[in-house]
């Protein structure tokens, strides 16, 4: 199962928000089981993209918006 907010693969119970295998969000997007705000998730995506793709913040913001639009949680 993949997180419906960020797409992260959730294999073990502890990968799920709140360690609940029925939670459709991962531990990063829903640490206590409840999905964090869209803005909080977006900032995490931007940081991840900048770190892993070495691109400017403005470009990372656009890419994060584009990718989030594909996720069921943000449609």
């Amino acid at each position: 199962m993949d997180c419906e907010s960020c797409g992260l693969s959730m294999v073990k119970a502890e990968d799920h928000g709140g360690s609940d295998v029925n939670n459709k969000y991962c531990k990063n997007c829903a640490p206590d089981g409840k999905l964090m705000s869209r803005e909080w998730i977006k900032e995490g995506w931007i940081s991840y993209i900048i770190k892993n793709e070495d691109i400017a913040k403005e470009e990372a913001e656009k890419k994060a918006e584009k990718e989030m639009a594909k996720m069921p949680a943000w449609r």
Side-chain angles (χ1 to χ4, degrees), residues 28-73:
N28 300 316
C29 294
D32 64 357
K34 183 180 176 192
L35 183 62
M36 300 297 281
S37 72
R38 185 183 194 290
E39 193 57 36
W40 192 88
I41 302 293
K42 181 181 172 185
E43 286 302 316
W45 274 51
I46 291 168
S47 295
Y48 178 84
I49 292 167
I50 290 170
K51 179 181 176 185
N52 291 290
E53 298 183 25
D54 192 31
I55 59 177
K57 185 172 183 175
E58 186 176 295
E59 188 178 342
E61 289 171 347
K62 290 177 185 174
K63 186 167 185 170
E65 281 291 338
K66 183 178 178 181
E67 293 302 314
M68 287 181 78
K70 298 175 186 176
M71 296 287 112

Side-chain angles (χ1 to χ4, degrees), residues 1-11 15 26-29 71:
M1 171 184 240
D2 293 337
C3 176
E4 291 189 9
S5 171
C6 72
L8 182 74
S9 181
M10 300 181 292
V11 179
D15 296 336
C26 73
K27 62 184 179 183
N28 300 316
C29 294
M71 296 287 112

